[in-house]
Amino acid sequence: MDVKVSEICEHRFLLYNKDATQHLFEVSAGLDSLVLGEGQILAQVRQVVKAGEGVLGLGRNISGLFKHAITVGKRVRTETDIAAGAVSVSSAAVELAFMKLPESSHTTARMLVVGAGKMGKLVIKHLVAKGCTKMVVVNRSEEKVAAIREEMKGVEIIYRPFTDMLACSAEADVIFTSTASETPLFSKEHVKDLPPVSSEVGGLRLFIDISVPRNVGSCVTDVEGAQVYNVDDLKEVVAANKEDRLRKAMEAQAIITEELKQFEAWRDSLETVPTIKKLRAYADRIRLAELEKCLSKMGEDIPKKTRKAVDDLSRGIVNKLLHGPMQHLRCDGNDSRTLNEALENMNALNRMFGLESDLSLVEQKIRAKVEQSQK
């Protein structure tokens, strides 16, 4: 596909530093999605990390950023449960059906979907997501049903023409309707002659009508053993769930703010890595030189066990001596005091041990961080 860079640039937006991090965290948490909290975006962020493994340019900073974003996404969904609750009519229809059915019948209830258009297909997808593995779909033509069947591998989707609709309804416990018919498909006369459903599914045949205009006549509610729900009923569920998700989104923002500070602290700590490496290398050179002097004084016939014991001793001493300085080079990032101390400690170590570290870039970054935190 030959797309000019100029055309791509028309649709881009650029964010830098903290703004870019916060945006990625919000995307991963599902706060930037059309449907708040939807889970597909988190899977896409995971795919980015997987695709970037071993790719030049995806260094420690970027890799760490995306991995932290995945952690944020998982934490938001776990602690706020933001993805719970249907926020579309089709998902609400399926959620309502499972709420009304006894839990013991969730995997055995007989499902019928009338209409295989856009809404019907979404109902089928939500049914599959709920664990439904078999259903009957009534449609004018088999073409759309066949396409859905091809997409939903491992699910038994049985096609029936409209002429079989009433016969299929007689064998169904839950009936979803989503056609463009201008007149009702089910009337009181149609439904009253249907055989009763089993007590195992609650003793009521559920008609869940998500069509506008309605596919199920209002008079069907008068039929004993039938229960009808329409779009108006579902819209109340959707509206309540959307409000709930907005409240949870505010909780998610608090989590993101906390995680943002943690990530910036980790990223800031990387600035001290060159100094840490040089200090360790400096200490190790001294250790090896002194170790060689010690071993040479002990003679040539030193047992391997003794040689290893002396080597381990020298490493242990160096590690214990370096532990304190290393800890003070860690840049916590939570307040300006810690950041100032990190800069002072790096300069002090550079002067004391002649590490010749180029601290100008680090100093600029940390001073900028200090100034920002003091605003």
Side-chain angles (χ1 to χ4, degrees):
M1 187 176 176
D2 188 13
V3 181
K4 294 180 180 178
V5 174
S6 58
E7 291 181 22
I8 296 175
C9 289
E10 292 176 7
H11 304 283
R12 74 178 180 182
F13 66 95
L14 297 176
L15 295 172
Y16 298 93
N17 303 323
K18 185 177 180 180
D19 291 336
T21 303
Q22 180 163 343
H23 176 67
L24 180 58
F25 286 4
E26 288 174 352
V27 167
S28 188
L31 301 190
D32 203 50
S33 302
L34 184 62
V35 177
L36 273 177
E38 62 91 13
Q40 187 60 36
I41 191 67
L42 184 57
Q44 292 170 354
V45 174
R46 283 196 181 99
Q47 287 172 3
V48 170
V49 174
K50 188 175 181 180
E53 289 177 356
V55 175
L56 291 175
L58 194 72
R60 190 175 182 182
N61 273 300
I62 301 298
S63 177
L65 171 62
F66 274 88
K67 287 177 180 177
H68 203 113
I70 292 171
T71 300
V72 172
K74 287 160 62 176
R75 185 183 167 194
V76 164
R77 285 168 177 80
T78 301
E79 295 185 19
T80 69
D81 205 21
I82 194 172
V87 290
S88 69
V89 170
S90 55
S91 61
V94 174
E95 186 173 298
L96 181 63
F98 278 81
M99 283 171 55
K100 299 300 179 182
L101 288 169
E103 189 174 348
S104 59
S105 67
H106 283 185
T107 57
T108 57
R110 299 169 297 174
M111 302 292 180
L112 171 63
V113 180
V114 181
K118 182 180 178 181
M119 294 296 285
K121 182 179 179 180
L122 287 172
V123 167
I124 294 170
K125 282 188 172 183
H126 290 302
L127 282 172
V128 172
K130 285 285 190 180
C132 185
T133 58
K134 180 180 179 180
M135 66 197 74
V136 176
V137 180
V138 169
N139 198 53
R140 297 192 187 282
S141 66
E142 189 175 3
E143 185 180 355
K144 285 185 177 179
V145 179
I148 295 171
R149 187 189 296 121
E150 183 65 25
E151 190 175 333
M152 307 287 176
K153 300 288 188 182
V155 180
E156 187 179 356
I157 299 176
I158 303 166
Y159 164 74
R160 290 288 184 270
F162 257 100
T163 53
D164 293 349
M165 185 184 72
L166 289 177
C168 293
S169 300
E171 299 175 355
D173 300 315
V174 183
I175 301 168
F176 298 92
T177 58
S178 61
T179 77
S181 175
E182 295 293 329
T183 57
L185 301 178
F186 292 94
S187 65
K188 184 176 181 179
E189 287 67 31
H190 294 136
V191 177
K192 67 183 178 71
D193 294 328
L194 295 177
V197 298
S198 168
S199 59
E200 293 179 1
V201 292
L204 289 174
R205 178 175 279 108
L206 303 179
F207 288 85
I208 303 179
D209 185 7
I210 61 175
S211 306
V212 179
R214 296 178 185 178
N215 286 170
V216 181
S218 57
C219 56
V220 174
T221 56
D222 298 331
V223 178
E224 187 178 351
Q227 182 69 52
V228 181
Y229 299 95
N230 56 43
V231 170
D232 292 334
D233 300 315
L234 299 174
K235 281 182 177 176
E236 291 180 14
V237 175
V238 169
N241 286 339
K242 281 185 176 178
E243 287 183 15
D244 187 48
R245 287 202 182 194
L246 286 173
R247 287 193 296 271
K248 289 173 179 176
M250 295 176 67
E251 296 175 24
Q253 282 291 0
I255 292 173
I256 288 172
T257 299
E258 180 185 327
E259 291 288 346
L260 191 59
K261 288 181 180 178
Q262 290 185 17
F263 173 76
E264 287 188 316
W266 171 80
R267 186 190 60 193
D268 289 339
S269 72
L270 296 182
E271 304 292 356
T272 63
V273 169
T275 301
I276 290 172
K277 285 183 176 179
K278 288 186 177 182
L279 178 59
R280 179 163 286 284
Y282 172 81
D284 212 42
R285 285 196 301 272
I286 295 175
R287 181 188 73 84
L288 288 172
E290 294 304 312
L291 178 65
E292 190 61 33
K293 288 181 184 177
C294 174
L295 293 174
S296 63
K297 290 177 180 179
M298 295 174 69
E300 295 181 359
D301 300 327
I302 308 171
K304 286 185 178 180
K305 189 175 181 179
T306 303
R307 183 182 290 270
K308 185 179 184 303
V310 174
D311 184 72
D312 289 344
L313 175 66
S314 66
R315 289 179 188 276
I317 292 171
V318 168
N319 287 338
K320 287 186 181 298
L321 286 173
L322 289 181
H323 179 72
M326 294 295 188
Q327 287 296 106
H328 285 85
L329 283 178
R330 304 292 178 189
C331 191
D332 184 272
N334 288 329
D335 54 54
S336 59
R337 179 189 57 79
T338 309
L339 292 164
N340 272 321
E341 284 181 2
L343 179 60
E344 290 170 3
N345 291 335
M346 282 190 288
N347 276 311
L349 286 169
N350 184 51
R351 290 193 305 271
M352 285 189 290
F353 296 105
L355 301 177
E356 298 179 356
S357 299
D358 182 10
L359 297 181
S360 59
L361 182 60
V362 176
E363 186 172 353
Q364 288 174 18
K365 288 182 178 180
I366 292 185
R367 286 201 184 282
K369 182 82 174 177
V370 172
E371 290 172 5
Q372 184 182 7
S373 65
Q374 289 175 339
K375 289 181 180 178

